[in-house]
Amino acid sequence: AQTVTQSQPEMSVQEAETVTLSCTYDTSESDYYLFWYKQPPSRQMILVIRQEAYKQQNATENRFSVNFQKAAKSFSLKISDSQLGDAAMYFCAYRGGSEKLVFGKGMKLTVNP
Amino acid sequence: DAGITQSPRHKVTETGTPVTLRCHQTENHRYMYWYRQDPGHGLRLIHYSYGVKDTDKGEVSDGYSVSRSKTEDFLLTLESATSSQTSVYFCAISEGGRSYGYTFGSGTRLTVV
């Protein structure tokens, strides 16, 4: 079974600084997708960014980018120019051939003004 | 807005009583899922459906049952609620195909007293 590990339960960053959230996963599949979801205090799950395993180019969405290292099974999220609104729980997730999304345990990001 | 709603948003129930949570979608997506979210555990899959009357278990299915008699509705039932089932429950939908993530409902906070 696939597993997703987020080893840092909490992080903090100063406003306008850059922060990197780590995620590793374990799978025997070669074709899969990886996602980062954000969950603010409102509880809503919001898709931040996704990466297709067969694409070597790292995905970017405005201030959010990923560092995808397929051989190392690593999928980190970089948030540039952090804003107060970025404070949230962040979940890394994996989806392979089973149509089921497997989540890490999450990481709480605090943004300090 | 992806057209997915969960009801109720909050519920308090007594131990031993049956409880049904409802998920309704207007997107005509094939796949529907129920997750529970607990601190330190992330989101864990309870049950999912890949079509009308087609359902399967997730990793934490004990004590839960589901039904899907129409494409748009996916019901989660706690047969006899226990305090360990106090949690936030999320419904999610997906078109299928591995390029897509999920779209989530707003969640139901269930407290079993």
Side-chain angles (χ1 to χ4, degrees):
Chain A
Q2 292 80 24
T3 59
V4 177
T5 302
Q6 294 179 251
S7 57
Q8 301 156 299
E10 294 191 39
M11 293 186 73
S12 63
V13 63
Q14 292 297 125
E15 196 175 4
E17 297 289 304
T18 295
V19 64
T20 299
L21 286 58
S22 63
C23 173
T24 58
Y25 59 95
D26 187 28
T27 184
S28 59
E29 296 178 305
S30 59
D31 189 14
Y32 51 86
Y33 294 81
L34 297 164
F35 305 87
W36 279 99
Y37 280 88
K38 171 185 177 181
Q39 186 183 45
S42 67
R43 206 165 74 195
Q44 187 66 41
M45 294 291 289
I46 301 166
L47 177 64
V48 175
I49 199 167
R50 68 171 177 242
Q51 174 76 43
E52 297 151 31
Y54 64 85
K55 288 188 176 180
Q56 293 187 347
Q57 185 174 5
N58 290 325
T60 61
E61 290 286 344
N62 301 313
R63 297 182 296 108
F64 298 89
S65 61
V66 300
N67 183 7
F68 173 50
Q69 301 290 328
K70 191 172 184 179
K73 296 180 182 175
S74 171
F75 182 59
S76 60
L77 174 69
K78 185 172 79 171
I79 306 175
S80 304
D81 186 25
S82 297
Q83 301 176 359
L84 295 177
D86 295 333
M89 286 290 294
Y90 285 82
F91 294 94
C92 180
Y94 169 101
R95 180 174 185 172
S98 69
E99 300 288 353
K100 294 181 284 188
L101 204 57
V102 178
F103 286 89
K105 294 183 177 181
M107 194 222 67
K108 181 180 179 181
L109 179 66
T110 301
V111 181
N112 300 310
Chain B
D1 194 336
I4 175 172
T5 55
Q6 289 183 235
S7 59
R9 183 138 172 93
H10 303 277
K11 185 172 181 65
V12 179
T13 192
E14 292 186 351
T15 298
T17 61
V19 177
T20 296
L21 308 182
R22 180 178 184 245
C23 179
H24 178 79
Q25 62 148 330
T26 57
E27 301 298 314
N28 200 36
H29 285 353
R30 178 183 177 188
Y31 295 90
M32 298 185 76
Y33 307 80
W34 278 107
Y35 285 87
R36 61 178 288 175
Q37 182 181 11
D38 304 289
H41 291 276
L43 281 79
R44 294 178 291 175
L45 183 65
I46 305 171
H47 282 280
Y48 68 104
S49 170
Y50 45 94
V52 173
K53 298 185 180 179
D54 292 324
T55 64
D56 205 350
K57 296 179 180 180
E59 62 179 306
V60 290
S61 60
D62 287 348
Y64 301 95
S65 62
V66 290
S67 65
R68 191 172 180 196
S69 58
K70 298 183 291 184
T71 299
E72 57 267 36
D73 291 323
F74 192 34
L75 304 180
L76 176 70
T77 297
L78 287 65
E79 307 289 350
S80 177
T82 67
S83 59
S84 65
Q85 293 176 312
T86 293
S87 187
V88 178
Y89 292 85
F90 283 96
C91 178
I93 60 174
S94 172
E95 292 183 74
R98 288 173 289 165
S99 63
Y100 293 94
Y102 292 11
T103 302
F104 287 82
S106 299
T108 296
R109 180 174 293 280
L110 176 68
T111 302
V112 183
V113 297

